Amino acid sequence: MVDSGSGGDIPGSDRCSTRRYDRDASSDPEGHLERALSLEEDEDFEAAIAEYSSLIATDPDYSFAYYHRGYCHVRTGDLQRAVNDFSEIIRIDPDDSTARFDRAATFYDMEEYIEALDDLEKVLEANPEDAIAHYLRGNVFAITGDLDRAVRCFEAALIFDPDYEAARANRITAYRECKTWWIFDRRGCYLGNISNHDRHGHTAQITKDPSMGNPDYDEMISVYGNMGKERIDNRNSVIFTEVDLEAAVDAAARWDLLLSEYQEGPEPELVDWFDSLKSRG
């Protein structure tokens, strides 16, 4: 299960249980709403759907009824009808980020990842500090193979919620999915890499070529040397074997370095986006 309280299993596309059903009820002269809410609480979702449908027949713009009927459709597994109900709320109020997030979560369950990303981007436009939206966006990127963006999204979630353990676990899972992560400073200079080798586990390679201008060379050698089991000196680099991946990632973050799945470094606009979020956190 990939949700706001678990992590580490992002390669699959299990159901997303993170949703935001938190609407205020309005008047209910016929008693349909009171019965619907009671039935929903008792998990009699089909009967609750019938009551919410009666309310919608009376008032086609009744967002609260669409919202809860959509939730009931999710619980019964009728995801397309859930999407339809969340879409009706967005029709009524295009700025409704709560309905848009829950439609994104439903698209995620349906493996409609392009649609999920479209909604999540609009949610984050309204609230760039929404840690759960960053997390779910990271899951989509990880599933679709864009690990660079997945990692940045999980890191963004941790900026705004440092205790978000699911984001922390999925960040490391994303790092493990890639054979090599290239280390760059903010100028785009290559400083080394963290790789997963069959013989040596995760290794940290630090360049010692002075022309690369690595200002943190001595400190990186010291820190990664303390993590590694064995030191291997090459002509232009030092390699440390059997390094703990999470500790290696955290060490790079302390120097404000970037790890990228691409040898040429992360896309500049992705770096700019991530830096703008860090300035908020």
Side-chain angles (χ1 to χ4, degrees):
M1 177 69 71
V2 178
D3 57 33
S4 63
S6 66
D9 57 350
I10 53 176
S13 57
D14 293 338
R15 294 286 292 277
C16 175
S17 65
T18 303
R19 287 182 172 83
R20 299 170 176 171
Y21 308 102
D22 56 357
R23 296 308 168 115
D24 295 326
S26 59
S27 61
D28 181 28
E30 302 297 325
H32 288 294
L33 182 58
E34 183 178 353
R35 287 193 297 275
L37 291 171
S38 178
L39 290 164
E40 183 181 328
E41 185 176 356
D42 292 339
E43 299 190 359
D44 188 351
F45 298 116
E46 294 291 355
I49 287 170
E51 294 292 342
Y52 289 127
S53 296
S54 296
L55 289 164
I56 290 167
T58 302
D59 181 0
D61 290 338
Y62 193 179
S63 292
F64 183 86
Y66 282 116
Y67 206 94
H68 279 264
R69 190 175 73 173
Y71 170 73
C72 291
H73 284 313
V74 169
R75 293 299 302 272
T76 61
D78 196 341
L79 300 184
Q80 185 56 61
R81 281 196 167 90
V83 164
N84 294 344
D85 280 345
F86 298 140
S87 297
E88 284 298 312
I89 300 168
I90 295 167
R91 172 188 63 80
I92 296 163
D93 180 5
D95 295 326
D96 193 315
S97 290
T98 302
R100 197 172 290 278
F101 176 90
D102 287 312
R103 188 172 71 173
T106 308
F107 278 136
Y108 177 90
D109 288 345
M110 297 169 69
E111 301 183 17
E112 299 287 348
Y113 298 125
I114 294 175
E115 290 81 358
L117 285 175
D118 285 345
D119 275 343
L120 288 169
E121 286 171 6
K122 289 184 173 66
V123 170
L124 288 167
E125 284 175 10
N127 179 15
E129 300 181 11
D130 189 329
I132 298 178
H134 283 297
Y135 168 79
L136 186 56
R137 191 166 177 257
N139 282 343
V140 172
F141 283 130
I143 289 168
T144 55
D146 192 341
L147 298 180
D148 235 28
R149 278 184 164 77
V151 165
R152 301 291 171 255
C153 289
F154 295 137
E155 289 177 345
L158 290 167
I159 288 171
F160 300 118
D161 184 357
D163 297 323
Y164 203 157
E165 291 305 319
R168 191 177 307 280
N170 282 7
R171 180 187 67 160
I172 293 301
T173 300
Y175 275 120
R176 288 197 182 100
E177 288 295 302
C178 190
K179 184 77 173 177
T180 300
W181 288 87
W182 307 89
I183 306 173
F184 298 88
D185 66 13
R186 293 285 162 171
R187 298 170 300 165
C189 293
Y190 167 71
L191 306 182
N193 63 67
I194 299 171
S195 300
N196 186 11
H197 292 284
D198 294 336
R199 286 182 54 207
H200 299 299
H202 281 96
T203 63
Q205 176 172 278
I206 312 302
T207 180
K208 59 182 180 181
D209 183 350
S211 67
M212 301 304 294
N214 183 349
D216 298 305
Y217 172 76
D218 290 334
E219 187 175 3
M220 291 175 74
I221 289 291
S222 173
V223 170
Y224 286 117
N226 288 332
M227 294 180 197
K229 180 178 180 180
E230 179 186 5
R231 173 173 175 154
I232 302 172
D233 286 277
N234 295 321
R235 180 181 175 186
N236 290 318
S237 67
V238 179
I239 297 175
F240 299 104
T241 67
E242 298 186 36
V243 171
D244 179 81
L245 177 61
E246 186 163 8
V249 168
D250 288 342
R254 285 198 299 275
W255 294 306
D256 201 28
L257 305 180
L258 288 170
L259 273 63
S260 173
E261 64 174 318
Y262 304 110
Q263 190 169 2
E264 64 273 16
E267 297 177 19
E269 61 267 27
L270 184 60
V271 176
D272 292 343
W273 169 80
F274 183 62
D275 286 346
S276 71
L277 295 178
K278 288 184 68 176
S279 69
R280 294 172 178 265

